Amino acid sequence: MNVIKLISLSIFIVSCSSIKENIVVFSEPPAIDSVQTVSVRTGKVVFKRFSFNRDDGVYVLQCGEKKHRFQVKNKTAHIYLPASYFSKAKKDSCTFVERGESEKALTLNINSFDYPKERLNVPKSKVFYSKKDLARIIREKEIKKQIYKTSSDVFLFEKPFKVPLKSYITSHYGNQRLFNDKKKSQHLGNDLRARTGTPIPSANRGRVVYTGNLFFSGNVVVIDHGMDIFSMYGHLSKILVTEGSVVNQGDIVGLAGATGRVSGPHLHWGVRINGSWIDGFSLIEASKKHLGDES
Ligand SMILES: [Zn+2]
């Protein structure tokens, strides 16, 4: 009897250990085979492609505090990595988290970029706001939060980005502005010279997610290009698209103008990636790495 008990006990132990082994067998193999280093400067974006041993879909990479979505197609990951204008120079370890286990995917070096300073003199009312304007600015802060909250979970574009106008840049991205020697701000877009009425083409294919009038930007069109990439067109005299419509690269979204806080007619071209305003010209370069240079 004792012998039978012993045998059944040992069978039980053996079967337990095989269950344990089964768990090990079914655990996911590593997704990343080599860890690479990527460098980006503050206010810029870079594109990176790396092999990724998982099915097609959207995954998340955690770099420090920030989560970046990326797309996997045919075992290849495609990711845009922006660095906020306000970020400190640092080295972030980027990990891919799956079923509670994290795997190191990349090292992201954020290097600071020294943007030039410029002095501007504007009417007092444009720097120090009335109570009514201040209330509007606060209200619009909330609207802006909503505009950029959701983005399509696929890239909506198939070609590299293009600058909307090939004209003189009257104010570059990143300029540190000092208004009337008192108030500081940063110019987080590129200003392109344009007469009132100049047709403004979309920098790439995407979906129009906002059209409206805002205190600083005037008449604005915002386009979602998918995977947390947005472009915005400010100070328009006329908006020619409607929210929800899909625009192709080069489609006219509006006419240039001088609405909002401006000193003259021009296009303010903004690019926002994963919550940060980024230099649009760095998105053009990054997207060429992604989709090939057609120019
Ligand atoms: Zn501007």
Side-chain angles (χ1 to χ4, degrees):
M1 204 59 178
N2 271 351
V3 174
I4 294 167
K5 259 191 179 171
L6 197 69
I7 291 168
S8 60
L9 185 69
S10 57
I11 289 169
F12 177 73
I13 290 167
V14 167
S15 59
C16 273
S17 67
S18 68
I19 288 168
K20 225 176 174 184
E21 266 169 27
N22 277 347
I23 293 167
V24 174
V25 168
F26 281 114
S27 172
E28 303 279 354
I32 298 119
D33 52 28
S34 67
V35 175
Q36 296 165 56
T37 300
V38 180
S39 293
V40 61
R41 293 188 297 183
T42 50
K44 316 276 183 193
V45 62
V46 289
F47 172 79
K48 185 76 192 166
R49 191 183 273 118
F50 57 94
S51 60
F52 195 79
N53 189 23
R54 290 291 180 274
D55 293 339
D56 288 3
V58 174
Y59 297 83
V60 174
L61 203 62
Q62 174 104 37
C63 300
E65 304 273 284
K66 198 103 182 140
K67 285 188 167 108
H68 301 277
R69 293 199 293 167
F70 63 98
Q71 200 180 51
V72 172
K73 238 180 183 176
N74 305 323
K75 308 285 180 203
T76 306
H78 304 85
I79 188 165
Y80 284 84
L81 289 161
S84 162
Y85 180 91
F86 304 99
S87 173
K88 281 186 219 139
K90 59 177 177 171
K91 204 173 262 192
D92 270 340
S93 184
C94 301
T95 55
F96 165 59
V97 180
E98 188 182 41
R99 296 179 194 209
E101 280 178 43
S102 63
E103 232 184 284
K104 190 168 175 193
L106 298 167
T107 299
L108 183 65
N109 285 336
I110 299 179
N111 304 314
S112 53
F113 187 82
D114 200 15
Y115 289 97
K117 293 179 175 71
E118 66 179 359
R119 290 187 133 80
L120 292 171
N121 286 312
V122 294
K124 263 191 179 170
S125 63
K126 296 280 181 185
V127 179
F128 300 100
Y129 314 116
S130 67
K131 253 191 178 170
K132 200 178 145 207
D133 286 344
L134 205 59
R136 187 179 167 192
I137 292 163
I138 292 165
R139 214 168 44 236
E140 289 179 358
K141 216 173 170 184
E142 203 46 48
I143 293 171
K144 283 187 249 179
K145 241 192 220 165
Q146 295 302 320
I147 298 172
Y148 302 104
K149 212 171 176 181
T150 49
S151 171
S152 169
D153 58 8
V154 287
F155 291 114
L156 295 174
F157 55 95
E158 289 167 343
K159 294 178 194 168
F161 279 75
K162 270 187 186 166
V163 61
L165 290 176
K166 277 191 177 152
S167 72
Y168 183 74
I169 302 164
T170 53
S171 178
H172 287 265
Y173 172 94
N175 283 1
Q176 304 176 61
R177 290 169 159 184
L178 194 60
F179 288 101
N180 302 353
D181 286 325
K182 284 201 176 91
K183 193 158 178 170
K184 283 182 206 161
S185 82
Q186 302 78 24
H187 185 232
L188 298 182
N190 282 291
D191 286 350
L192 304 164
R193 181 180 281 167
R195 282 203 191 111
T196 296
T198 306
I200 303 300
S202 169
N204 216 338
R205 189 177 180 275
R207 185 182 300 277
V208 177
V209 289
Y210 180 78
T211 61
N213 185 278
L214 300 171
F215 180 80
F216 292 108
S217 311
N219 292 329
V220 169
V221 171
V222 178
I223 298 171
D224 171 28
H225 300 286
M227 298 296 284
D228 310 307
I229 301 174
F230 296 89
S231 63
M232 74 88 104
Y233 308 80
H235 312 309
L236 303 173
S237 58
K238 201 166 186 190
I239 292 168
L240 296 173
V241 285
T242 51
E243 283 179 20
S245 60
V246 171
V247 291
N248 284 309
Q249 186 174 53
D251 283 357
I252 305 304
V253 299
L255 305 178
T259 53
R261 186 170 77 164
V262 286
S263 48
H266 70 274
L267 171 71
H268 174 95
W269 180 46
V271 164
R272 191 175 167 100
I273 306 178
N274 199 13
S276 303
W277 290 108
I278 297 296
D279 182 358
F281 289 95
S282 77
L283 176 61
I284 292 175
E285 292 313 309
S287 62
K288 280 179 188 171
K289 290 220 168 86
H290 179 197
L291 298 159
D293 188 354
E294 288 188 354
S295 56

